[in-house]
Amino acid sequence: MTASPGARASLEDFDQVFERVKNWGRWGPDDQLGTLNFITTERVRDAAHLVRSGRRVSMAIPINKVAGPDNPNQALHFVTQGHDIDIGSSGLTFGLDFLGMAFHGDCHTHVDALCHIAYKGLTYNGKRAAEVLTSHGATTQDIAVQAVGLVGRGVLFDLPRFRGVPWLEPGEAVTRAELEAVERAQGVAIGEGDIFVFRTGHHRRRLETGAWDNSPAGEGKAGLHIDTIPWMHERGISAFLPDGDGEAIPSCVDGMTYPIHPLQITAMGMLTADSLNLEDLSRLCAEEGRYAFMVVGLPLRLPGGTGSPWNPIAIF
Amino acid sequence: MTASPGARASLEDFDQVFERVKNWGRWGPDDQLGTLNFITTERVRDAAHLVRSGRRVSMAIPINKVAGPDNPNQALHFVTQGHDIDIGSSGLTFGLDFLGMAFHGDCHTHVDALCHIAYKGLTYNGKRAAEVLTSHGATTQDIAVQAVGLVGRGVLFDLPRFRGVPWLEPGEAVTRAELEAVERAQGVAIGEGDIFVFRTGHHRRRLETGAWDNSPAGEGKAGLHIDTIPWMHERGISAFLPDGDGEAIPSCVDGMTYPIHPLQITAMGMLTADSLNLEDLSRLCAEEGRYAFMVVGLPLRLPGGTGSPWNPIAIF
Amino acid sequence: MTASPGARASLEDFDQVFERVKNWGRWGPDDQLGTLNFITTERVRDAAHLVRSGRRVSMAIPINKVAGPDNPNQALHFVTQGHDIDIGSSGLTFGLDFLGMAFHGDCHTHVDALCHIAYKGLTYNGKRAAEVLTSHGATTQDIAVQAVGLVGRGVLFDLPRFRGVPWLEPGEAVTRAELEAVERAQGVAIGEGDIFVFRTGHHRRRLETGAWDNSPAGEGKAGLHIDTIPWMHERGISAFLPDGDGEAIPSCVDGMTYPIHPLQITAMGMLTADSLNLEDLSRLCAEEGRYAFMVVGLPLRLPGGTGSPWNPIAIF
Amino acid sequence: MTASPGARASLEDFDQVFERVKNWGRWGPDDQLGTLNFITTERVRDAAHLVRSGRRVSMAIPINKVAGPDNPNQALHFVTQGHDIDIGSSGLTFGLDFLGMAFHGDCHTHVDALCHIAYKGLTYNGKRAAEVLTSHGATTQDIAVQAVGLVGRGVLFDLPRFRGVPWLEPGEAVTRAELEAVERAQGVAIGEGDIFVFRTGHHRRRLETGAWDNSPAGEGKAGLHIDTIPWMHERGISAFLPDGDGEAIPSCVDGMTYPIHPLQITAMGMLTADSLNLEDLSRLCAEEGRYAFMVVGLPLRLPGGTGSPWNPIAIF
């Protein structure tokens, strides 16, 4: 399947892609790692040995505590003890705080567990969603299975730089053909076990023009065309780190608002993140003249969690 | 200053050590990184090149949601949307959750920002505590200044293994002399920019005998004698990752309950963490036959935060 | 059905009582008020006219912020702005705070909505529990249907005073016969629309002997025998305000831990509260020489809520 | 002091009013009740005896869980247990939830404790604000001192009905002269111990035209002119229940954004509430043909709290 940028797909097309890329059973019936299985210890070592300059950048948006159109669930951050409370009258004081986050938000850099998405009542590997996730938390496929984090070789696909624009406009869907053109232009191929870092300039646009209009009748977002899914599957990509959430809104699938998430997470079992800040990374890649680097992303070790806020970094 | 294990110190001794190891002004009057300045880009690269087997372990305790004697502020974890809520009637469902943490707890693996501790009204670099930390959060020396995380060479000091015991008992204070003996026994020296990983077996004891009694009249904890502080200062250690919080309770300083924190954080400007889980690390070091490894610890990018929950890892 | 204090019941007995007292359909198929329908406007007026001395007491436990054996979900209370933050440099400062509660706890005085309990998949009036309460909140039978609160004539049944003991011991189950004896001794009858205030001394015991052991293998609680349920039904009681939660633990029903809640809430549609503090009320009743008074209890107006923390009062 | 609607005042005028109405010391140096002292037990009884029809209304806005321009701190409401979790396999299920509120918001109906406001470093009765409110909560003048709630005679001043408009426009300041005209028109006088219920139509405007623009450069609000403060003082009003927050924005005092709060709370020690919903009350007063009624408002019993969410009612 290859598509032109504006090509539409039906729910049947979606289901065909879903079946085609489905990794259910590939690593055993009870596997919870999905495409992270591609990252062998050798690939971890090789990723570490990519480090040359030792420079690094955060790929996270600073945690956003102010509600807004694209941040309906702002983080709660409260100082619970200030330096007005002495401990034992010895002149020693401790500042303490509380952080609360409904972290699956469009402004909160976070990672998704495989239990996060279900399609037709099933999660990755064909597990019943109602049993995978109860009102008490996930019983399997939670974020805690990724306790040792994401460590591997990341490759940035810098779409705005490739196109010579500040950012992709809402509604634009990047196709497989364009990703392959970016690879050629950047002189770096992405392969098995690699981490696909996908920049649309989403965060830069927010910084320059203000909050995105995320209302149902809003302005939409730039993201991926579903013809990129088989490409990811063929390449053996392990993880996906976009600066939006990978979805083009309106989507290219009639009748489905978010087709990319179920194809990546539910069908392939791919570790995906949302809402990264790739602006510093874009600049550093240009300065260093390279688009491949060591990535480390460390979810909190949260049993039962459907994901985690995180602060992944790139090391050059 | 060297001490025997049971040696007592006075508040005057404490103040002398404080003055002796004080790094205020060393990296400029407005420095916020403290001993992280020791970790140059070269040292980041060298740490990455330590990776040989590609194996890794988490150094975090799974996030603890059940209140108890040593967990008075259990984490809040709520599923805010289950797979009973369909998105757009297309069969697609998203599980969402909320995580809330007063993360500076004895059971929550976390990292401290330099604003976390003040002594006699001042934080690191001599800043006025009331201005550094307001009821709205930290205005400087917050955890967000460490957005690119802690990346460097870690060295485990495995005290229980050295002593041949399952864990150190409450109240035991490890001295400089013992740390130097551990270095010799393990065949690895810790030097400038290195990360001091300090295992007392605190978490193992909890797993085997139940919650610590953290009440004021409780059983105490194993930790450091303050004669180790000048040693850390001389060696140029960049960061401190213990499995308790580094404090021996009762402390060795008469009239001060927690002497280690202000000496490390306020005087030296050292990145310190609390409540790590070093059990898997201890086993892996033994298996790999090495006590030095790459460490990556990534705080959330929380503006104004006095610290962050985190999940640091070791890569071999 | 009448029972001696220690009489046991089976699940079949339970189901028979359930059917016998079931008010489903009594006030229409979509009724959400249940036994609050007994409180007519005339009864509100009559309750107000009971006021003679104008003295009043709170029936709430102070909100408990410290975790403990009987308070696993302590309230979160954080000052979010102190008087260190000036508004507009005019000398004016505002102190602000945040309160968070998982309020259905044994130490949190709260009221239950009818959606709170389901038996065999159904809530009051035979509604399907999975539709009544989704992961997004209650769609019907939520606490917001009680926006005008509970206002009526309360009658205290002061069991410890009747028995001449400081409190009822764990496991004791109060029977219909004893309630009728209390009525005679106190010289006051409870009738249609009245609010049944039930004191076992639960809170006094906590104050004097420390936290209850609420573990599954714990010490149990004093409460009601299920033979009191038909009595409540016959009398037309509108609401139930106990100082424990009404349940005797171990319960008198083999195979069911909490039989009272489903009989009151699910079968009868009764407004029930939990964990009141009836100590001041007990004293004031004795001083005033009367056991009937005006009650006002005002839940927060929380759409979708399964209940609410509250602070009901008695006015004499 | 009497003023025409648009009359301006200076900070000096403000300070003069502050001194004139100051009740510091009036009820003793350690009094924490302020103008609630006016509500004697006789007045409680008389208020109860005002009840004739037994009809009642809530004066609270339903708790608002959606962030918006005038609701920057939306309430958090999470179902923490649904009816998918069986208790003991007996068919019994409990729905549970968590409610979290930074309740001092323009859309959250709440009551203020006297510790909430300080002027020039002092709270009511001349207490040092830094000691009254620490980062751990209020040490005095907290909302828990009002555990028995607000019970008394309320008098509605229905400004929109008086003027024949749907609501007062942003920036309009109601003067003493107009309040006195409303009294005459409504045929009811407000006197010592009475509760001043002040309707501007704030909530109706929100319902009809959408969220208020509460940004600093926003549209403003209707409220009180400061010449009403001496009138409240002379009349001996005990409490203030407005549908906005009583402040006219822009205020009539040059250089001070919120003059009403410190005059009421700090100078007079008056119980004040914010953000009531007086729409149902307005209708019921018209139907019943009376503007005086019993009021009951019950704060949560929150030790250390600067206020509380609440749901006050009027009973006719």
Side-chain angles (χ1 to χ4, degrees):
Chain A
M1 177 184 179
T2 60
S4 54
R8 309 289 315 156
S10 66
L11 282 173
E12 285 179 8
D13 295 332
F14 173 88
D15 282 342
Q16 281 182 10
V17 175
F18 194 96
E19 289 305 314
R20 179 170 159 197
V21 303
K22 201 160 76 171
N23 287 324
W24 298 6
R26 180 171 182 173
W27 296 286
D30 294 323
D31 174 65
Q32 301 181 62
L33 288 177
T35 55
L36 286 185
N37 283 292
F38 290 131
I39 307 187
T40 58
T41 50
E42 291 75 18
R43 287 192 169 121
V44 169
R45 181 198 57 213
D46 293 348
H49 292 190
L50 284 176
V51 175
R52 289 203 296 266
S53 72
R55 296 170 77 192
R56 61 209 145 115
V57 288
S58 164
M59 295 188 280
I61 301 173
I63 289 179
N64 193 330
K65 310 175 197 177
V66 180
D70 59 356
N71 190 24
N73 298 303
Q74 78 277 27
L76 307 179
H77 180 223
F78 306 132
V79 173
T80 60
Q81 182 173 281
H83 290 305
D84 57 338
I85 308 288
D86 200 337
I87 308 294
S89 305
S90 59
L92 184 57
T93 57
F94 287 71
L96 306 177
D97 43 6
F98 173 89
L99 175 65
M101 292 182 75
F103 52 80
H104 283 288
D106 278 3
C107 282
H108 297 319
T109 303
H110 66 274
V111 60
D112 296 337
L114 296 186
C115 66
H116 170 52
I117 302 286
Y119 181 57
K120 295 183 176 171
L122 301 177
T123 66
Y124 168 68
N125 241 350
K127 302 298 182 188
R128 289 196 54 235
E131 292 168 8
V132 168
L133 183 64
T134 73
S135 58
H136 281 188
T139 58
T140 181
Q141 299 183 6
D142 63 338
I143 198 65
V145 301
Q146 297 165 9
V148 294
L150 174 69
V151 180
R153 176 183 184 254
V155 179
L156 173 66
F157 285 67
D158 194 336
L159 272 292
R161 182 172 302 271
F162 172 73
R163 293 192 188 179
V165 296
W167 53 73
L168 273 57
E169 295 297 335
E172 291 191 88
V174 174
T175 61
R176 169 185 191 138
E178 187 169 13
L179 292 179
E180 290 172 338
V182 172
E183 270 186 311
R184 288 189 297 271
Q186 293 185 167
V188 60
I190 191 165
E192 191 172 291
D194 284 350
I195 298 161
F196 176 23
V197 185
F198 177 65
R199 178 172 178 260
T200 64
H202 186 96
H203 188 60
R204 176 172 170 190
R205 184 173 182 273
R206 187 178 198 278
L207 293 176
E208 297 194 9
T209 71
W212 288 75
D213 176 0
N214 277 357
S215 64
E219 63 193 344
K221 290 189 276 197
L224 293 171
H225 195 282
I226 67 164
D227 86 333
T228 61
I229 297 293
W231 172 85
M232 287 186 228
H233 187 247
E234 291 161 23
R235 295 294 183 96
I237 286 169
S238 61
F240 177 59
L241 306 189
D243 55 356
D245 62 1
E247 302 283 355
I249 307 287
S251 91
C252 60
V253 178
D254 294 318
M256 179 169 281
T257 308
Y258 304 109
I260 302 299
H261 274 71
L263 292 170
Q264 291 181 319
I265 295 175
T266 313
M268 290 196 277
M270 180 176 286
L271 182 142
T272 68
D274 274 8
S275 305
L276 277 77
N277 167 4
L278 303 177
E279 300 313 303
D280 288 341
L281 178 65
S282 173
R283 278 186 289 274
L284 192 54
C285 281
E287 283 178 32
E288 297 263 334
R290 51 191 288 217
Y291 287 82
F293 38 82
M294 184 184 193
V295 163
V296 184
L298 300 174
L300 296 175
R301 195 169 183 174
L302 177 61
T306 71
S308 173
W310 72 346
N311 173 21
I313 62 170
I315 316 178
F316 282 81
Chain B
M1 176 185 180
T2 59
S4 55
R8 308 291 312 158
S10 66
L11 282 174
E12 283 179 10
D13 295 332
F14 173 88
D15 283 342
Q16 281 181 11
V17 176
F18 195 96
E19 289 304 314
R20 177 170 161 199
V21 303
K22 201 160 78 170
N23 288 323
W24 299 6
R26 179 172 182 172
W27 296 286
D30 295 322
D31 175 65
Q32 299 181 62
L33 289 176
T35 55
L36 286 185
N37 283 292
F38 291 130
I39 307 186
T40 59
T41 50
E42 292 74 20
R43 288 190 168 121
V44 169
R45 183 199 56 215
D46 293 348
H49 291 190
L50 285 175
V51 175
R52 289 203 296 266
S53 71
R55 296 170 78 193
R56 61 209 145 114
V57 288
S58 164
M59 294 188 281
I61 301 172
I63 288 179
N64 194 329
K65 311 175 198 178
V66 180
D70 59 356
N71 191 24
N73 297 303
Q74 78 277 30
L76 307 179
H77 181 223
F78 306 132
V79 173
T80 60
Q81 182 173 280
H83 290 305
D84 57 338
I85 308 288
D86 200 338
I87 306 295
S89 305
S90 58
L92 184 58
T93 56
F94 288 72
L96 306 177
D97 43 6
F98 173 90
L99 175 65
M101 293 181 75
F103 52 81
H104 283 288
D106 278 3
C107 281
H108 297 319
T109 304
H110 66 275
V111 61
D112 295 336
L114 296 186
C115 66
H116 171 52
I117 302 285
Y119 181 57
K120 295 184 177 171
L122 301 178
T123 66
Y124 168 67
N125 242 348
K127 303 298 182 186
R128 289 197 54 236
E131 291 168 9
V132 168
L133 182 63
T134 73
S135 58
H136 281 189
T139 58
T140 182
Q141 299 183 5
D142 62 339
I143 198 65
V145 302
Q146 298 165 8
V148 295
L150 173 68
V151 180
R153 176 182 184 255
V155 179
L156 174 66
F157 285 66
D158 194 336
L159 272 291
R161 182 171 302 270
F162 172 73
R163 294 192 188 179
V165 296
W167 51 73
L168 273 57
E169 295 298 334
E172 292 191 88
V174 174
T175 61
R176 171 185 189 138
E178 186 169 13
L179 292 179
E180 290 171 339
V182 172
E183 270 187 310
R184 289 188 297 271
Q186 294 185 167
V188 59
I190 192 165
E192 190 172 291
D194 284 350
I195 297 160
F196 175 24
V197 185
F198 177 65
R199 178 170 178 262
T200 63
H202 186 97
H203 187 60
R204 177 172 170 191
R205 184 174 182 274
R206 188 179 199 277
L207 293 175
E208 297 195 9
T209 70
W212 288 75
D213 176 0
N214 277 356
S215 65
E219 63 193 344
K221 289 188 277 197
L224 294 171
H225 195 281
I226 66 163
D227 87 333
T228 61
I229 298 292
W231 173 83
M232 288 186 227
H233 187 247
E234 291 161 22
R235 295 293 183 97
I237 286 169
S238 61
F240 177 59
L241 307 188
D243 56 356
D245 62 1
E247 302 283 354
I249 306 287
S251 91
C252 59
V253 178
D254 294 318
M256 179 169 281
T257 308
Y258 303 110
I260 302 299
H261 275 71
L263 292 170
Q264 290 181 319
I265 296 176
T266 313
M268 289 196 277
M270 180 176 286
L271 182 142
T272 68
D274 274 9
S275 304
L276 276 77
N277 168 4
L278 302 178
E279 300 312 303
D280 288 340
L281 178 65
S282 174
R283 278 185 290 273
L284 193 52
C285 280
E287 283 177 32
E288 297 264 334
R290 50 192 287 218
Y291 286 82
F293 37 81
M294 184 185 192
V295 163
V296 184
L298 300 174
L300 297 175
R301 195 169 183 174
L302 176 60
T306 70
S308 173
W310 73 345
N311 174 19
I313 61 171
I315 316 178
F316 282 81
Chain C
M1 175 185 180
T2 59
S4 54
R8 307 291 313 157
S10 67
L11 282 174
E12 284 179 8
D13 295 332
F14 173 87
D15 283 343
Q16 281 181 11
V17 175
F18 194 97
E19 289 305 313
R20 179 170 160 198
V21 303
K22 201 160 78 171
N23 287 322
W24 299 7
R26 180 172 182 170
W27 295 284
D30 294 323
D31 174 65
Q32 300 181 60
L33 289 176
T35 54
L36 287 186
N37 283 291
F38 290 130
I39 307 187
T40 59
T41 50
E42 290 75 19
R43 287 190 169 121
V44 169
R45 182 198 56 213
D46 293 348
H49 291 190
L50 286 175
V51 175
R52 289 203 296 265
S53 72
R55 296 169 77 193
R56 61 210 144 114
V57 288
S58 165
M59 295 188 281
I61 301 173
I63 288 179
N64 193 328
K65 311 175 196 177
V66 180
D70 59 356
N71 190 24
N73 297 304
Q74 77 277 29
L76 307 179
H77 181 223
F78 305 132
V79 173
T80 60
Q81 182 175 280
H83 290 306
D84 57 338
I85 307 288
D86 201 336
I87 307 295
S89 304
S90 58
L92 184 58
T93 57
F94 288 71
L96 305 177
D97 43 7
F98 172 90
L99 175 66
M101 292 180 75
F103 52 81
H104 283 288
D106 278 3
C107 282
H108 297 319
T109 304
H110 66 275
V111 60
D112 295 337
L114 296 185
C115 67
H116 171 51
I117 302 285
Y119 181 57
K120 294 184 177 170
L122 301 178
T123 66
Y124 167 69
N125 241 349
K127 301 300 182 187
R128 289 196 54 235
E131 292 169 8
V132 167
L133 183 63
T134 73
S135 58
H136 281 188
T139 59
T140 182
Q141 300 183 4
D142 62 338
I143 198 65
V145 304
Q146 298 166 8
V148 295
L150 173 68
V151 180
R153 176 180 184 256
V155 179
L156 173 65
F157 285 67
D158 194 335
L159 272 293
R161 183 173 301 271
F162 172 73
R163 294 192 188 179
V165 297
W167 51 73
L168 272 57
E169 295 297 335
E172 291 190 90
V174 173
T175 61
R176 169 186 190 138
E178 186 169 14
L179 292 180
E180 289 172 339
V182 171
E183 269 187 312
R184 287 189 298 270
Q186 293 186 166
V188 60
I190 192 165
E192 191 172 293
D194 284 350
I195 298 160
F196 176 23
V197 185
F198 177 65
R199 178 169 178 262
T200 63
H202 186 96
H203 187 60
R204 177 171 170 191
R205 184 174 182 274
R206 187 179 199 278
L207 293 175
E208 296 194 10
T209 71
W212 288 74
D213 176 359
N214 278 356
S215 65
E219 61 193 344
K221 290 188 277 197
L224 294 171
H225 196 281
I226 66 164
D227 86 334
T228 61
I229 297 293
W231 173 84
M232 287 186 228
H233 187 246
E234 290 162 22
R235 296 293 183 97
I237 287 169
S238 61
F240 177 59
L241 306 189
D243 56 355
D245 63 359
E247 303 282 356
I249 306 287
S251 90
C252 59
V253 179
D254 294 319
M256 179 169 283
T257 308
Y258 305 109
I260 302 298
H261 275 71
L263 293 170
Q264 291 182 318
I265 296 176
T266 313
M268 290 196 277
M270 181 177 285
L271 182 143
T272 68
D274 274 8
S275 304
L276 275 77
N277 168 4
L278 302 177
E279 300 314 302
D280 288 340
L281 178 65
S282 174
R283 279 187 288 274
L284 193 53
C285 281
E287 284 178 30
E288 297 263 333
R290 50 192 288 218
Y291 286 83
F293 37 81
M294 184 185 192
V295 162
V296 185
L298 300 174
L300 296 175
R301 195 169 183 174
L302 176 61
T306 70
S308 173
W310 73 344
N311 174 19
I313 61 170
I315 316 178
F316 281 81
Chain D
M1 175 186 180
T2 60
S4 54
R8 307 291 312 158
S10 66
L11 283 173
E12 285 179 9
D13 296 332
F14 174 89
D15 282 343
Q16 281 181 10
V17 175
F18 194 97
E19 290 304 315
R20 180 171 158 197
V21 303
K22 202 160 76 171
N23 287 324
W24 298 7
R26 181 172 182 172
W27 295 286
D30 293 323
D31 175 66
Q32 301 182 61
L33 289 177
T35 55
L36 287 184
N37 284 291
F38 290 130
I39 307 187
T40 58
T41 51
E42 291 75 20
R43 287 192 168 121
V44 169
R45 182 198 58 213
D46 293 348
H49 291 189
L50 285 176
V51 175
R52 289 202 296 266
S53 71
R55 297 170 75 193
R56 60 209 146 115
V57 288
S58 164
M59 296 188 280
I61 301 173
I63 288 179
N64 194 328
K65 311 175 196 176
V66 180
D70 59 357
N71 190 25
N73 297 304
Q74 77 278 28
L76 307 180
H77 181 223
F78 305 132
V79 173
T80 60
Q81 182 174 281
H83 289 305
D84 57 338
I85 307 289
D86 200 337
I87 307 295
S89 305
S90 58
L92 184 58
T93 56
F94 288 72
L96 306 177
D97 42 7
F98 173 90
L99 174 65
M101 293 181 74
F103 52 80
H104 284 288
D106 279 3
C107 282
H108 298 318
T109 303
H110 66 276
V111 60
D112 296 336
L114 295 186
C115 67
H116 171 51
I117 302 287
Y119 181 56
K120 294 184 177 171
L122 301 178
T123 66
Y124 168 67
N125 241 350
K127 302 298 183 188
R128 288 196 55 234
E131 292 168 9
V132 167
L133 183 63
T134 73
S135 59
H136 281 189
T139 59
T140 181
Q141 301 183 4
D142 62 339
I143 199 65
V145 301
Q146 299 166 7
V148 294
L150 174 68
V151 180
R153 176 183 184 254
V155 179
L156 174 65
F157 285 67
D158 194 336
L159 272 292
R161 183 172 301 272
F162 172 73
R163 293 192 189 180
V165 297
W167 52 72
L168 273 57
E169 295 297 336
E172 291 190 88
V174 174
T175 60
R176 170 185 190 138
E178 187 169 13
L179 292 179
E180 289 172 338
V182 172
E183 270 186 311
R184 288 188 298 270
Q186 294 186 167
V188 59
I190 192 165
E192 191 173 293
D194 284 350
I195 297 160
F196 175 24
V197 185
F198 177 65
R199 178 170 177 260
T200 64
H202 187 96
H203 187 59
R204 177 171 170 190
R205 184 173 182 273
R206 188 179 199 277
L207 293 175
E208 297 194 10
T209 70
W212 288 75
D213 176 359
N214 278 357
S215 65
E219 61 193 343
K221 289 189 276 197
L224 295 171
H225 196 282
I226 67 163
D227 86 334
T228 61
I229 297 294
W231 172 85
M232 287 186 229
H233 187 247
E234 291 162 22
R235 295 293 184 96
I237 287 170
S238 61
F240 177 59
L241 306 188
D243 56 355
D245 63 0
E247 303 283 355
I249 306 288
S251 90
C252 59
V253 178
D254 294 318
M256 179 168 283
T257 308
Y258 304 109
I260 301 299
H261 275 71
L263 292 170
Q264 290 181 318
I265 295 176
T266 313
M268 290 195 277
M270 180 176 287
L271 182 143
T272 68
D274 274 8
S275 305
L276 277 77
N277 167 4
L278 303 177
E279 300 313 302
D280 289 340
L281 177 64
S282 174
R283 277 187 290 274
L284 192 53
C285 280
E287 283 177 32
E288 297 263 333
R290 51 192 286 217
Y291 286 83
F293 37 81
M294 183 184 192
V295 163
V296 184
L298 300 173
L300 296 175
R301 195 169 184 175
L302 176 61
T306 71
S308 174
W310 73 345
N311 174 20
I313 61 169
I315 316 178
F316 282 81

